[in-house]
Amino acid sequence: MKLIRQRESLGATQDYQAGDNILRGVRAGTAGPVLRIYQPRPTVAFGRRDELLPGFGAAQRAVKRAGFTPLVRAVGGRAAAYHRGCLVIDHIEPSPDPKAGIQQRYRLFADMVVAAMEELEIPAEVGEIPGEYCPGEYSVHATGRTIDSASQTIKLAGSAQRIVQGAWYFSTVVVVEQSEPLRSVLTDVYRCLGLEWSPTTAGAVEDLRPGTRVSDVEAALRKMYGMYARHMNYGSLQEQAF
């Protein structure tokens, strides 16, 4: 299984297009299973439904004022924000019947994020929490004492899945560091869109385990995906710098 560790973000739109390029290659049979990991530039990814809301233009302007780039993605739900303190894992595989196992993939890869959190001694769980941004049944969350000593349940990771003929594309974003800028821009965005949410649900791994860095979470996730690759008889992760 090829592992592409993208050392630098290309930019919001370019990163998104790079994922599409990988998907086309896998779909065409010129590449096997691919795992791409990178830290994105500040981005707010909107869902298609967000575009239809009357406050969408104002939300885009708020994103730009905050120093983030607005992006409308082909899959996923409501607006989500990420930056270099986050880790994006794009997992792309060929499949003769990509529609089969859609829900199983959501559960499997969410459980793998939970297992990675357990490596860091964070007792995470899978499931939507009330008031979370970009709500989803397979969000990964954890409850604990945050940096300000308050006990809080926060969302740590979300995922989206895209199905095309001959392949599937599964993307996960884990928030590791610096949750405040994300919370701030999402507060402005959801206000503009007229959507209710609870800002206290937006957090990061370091809020629960101070001192945690992106590299720590990446190491734990690589371990889980290495186990997955061996289980699927893909061999070990073969890293390719990008």
Side-chain angles (χ1 to χ4, degrees):
M1 186 175 192
K2 181 188 295 184
L3 168 62
I4 299 175
R5 183 38 168 114
Q6 186 175 314
R7 298 302 173 187
E8 295 293 337
S9 171
L10 306 173
T13 302
Q14 294 88 341
D15 284 334
Y16 192 79
Q17 290 173 341
D20 273 351
N21 292 339
I22 296 172
L23 176 61
R24 282 195 291 270
V26 171
R27 179 184 184 183
T30 58
V34 176
L35 193 68
R36 178 176 68 143
I37 300 176
Y38 68 97
Q39 294 166 248
R41 293 183 188 177
T43 304
V44 173
F46 292 93
R48 294 294 188 189
R49 289 184 298 164
D50 295 329
E51 280 189 296
L52 304 177
L53 297 175
F56 180 65
Q60 286 184 304
R61 291 190 291 274
V63 167
K64 293 176 181 177
R65 285 196 301 271
F68 285 67
T69 298
L71 174 74
V72 179
R73 60 186 186 271
V75 296
R78 295 298 187 181
Y82 39 88
H83 55 27
R84 280 194 57 80
C86 302
L87 201 61
V88 178
I89 305 99
D90 289 339
H91 184 174
I92 304 160
E93 288 196 30
S95 173
D97 185 10
K99 291 184 179 180
I102 291 176
Q103 296 303 317
Q104 290 92 328
R105 285 193 289 271
Y106 272 115
R107 185 74 211 193
L108 171 62
F109 297 130
D111 284 344
M112 285 167 59
V113 174
V114 168
M117 293 299 105
E118 290 176 349
E119 289 280 315
L120 300 172
E121 300 182 344
I122 296 174
E125 298 180 7
V126 177
E128 182 180 339
I129 56 176
E132 72 178 29
Y133 65 92
C134 192
E137 181 182 355
Y138 296 97
S139 296
V140 175
H141 64 271
T143 302
R145 293 284 175 184
T146 56
I147 292 174
D148 61 4
S149 297
S151 180
Q152 183 64 48
T153 299
I154 57 177
K155 180 173 181 174
L156 300 178
S159 58
Q161 186 171 186
R162 183 178 174 189
I163 303 298
V164 297
Q165 185 175 359
W168 52 262
Y169 184 145
F170 197 96
S171 187
T172 302
V173 179
V174 184
V175 184
V176 184
E177 304 175 33
Q178 301 177 25
S179 60
E180 178 51 38
L182 303 178
R183 193 159 41 246
S184 177
V185 70
L186 286 174
T187 296
D188 292 340
V189 164
Y190 276 69
R191 183 187 303 116
C192 291
L193 295 177
L195 300 173
E196 293 186 3
W197 80 299
S198 176
T200 59
T201 63
V205 175
E206 72 166 353
D207 294 333
L208 301 175
R209 187 178 183 270
T212 304
R213 302 278 75 92
V214 170
S215 58
D216 300 320
V217 173
E218 180 176 349
L221 283 167
R222 283 196 187 209
K223 179 179 179 180
M224 297 305 125
Y225 276 97
M227 293 169 62
Y228 169 85
R230 290 191 294 274
H231 176 75
M232 297 297 292
N233 294 319
Y234 293 150
S236 60
L237 297 176
Q238 300 296 319
E239 183 169 357
Q240 173 183 319
F242 180 75

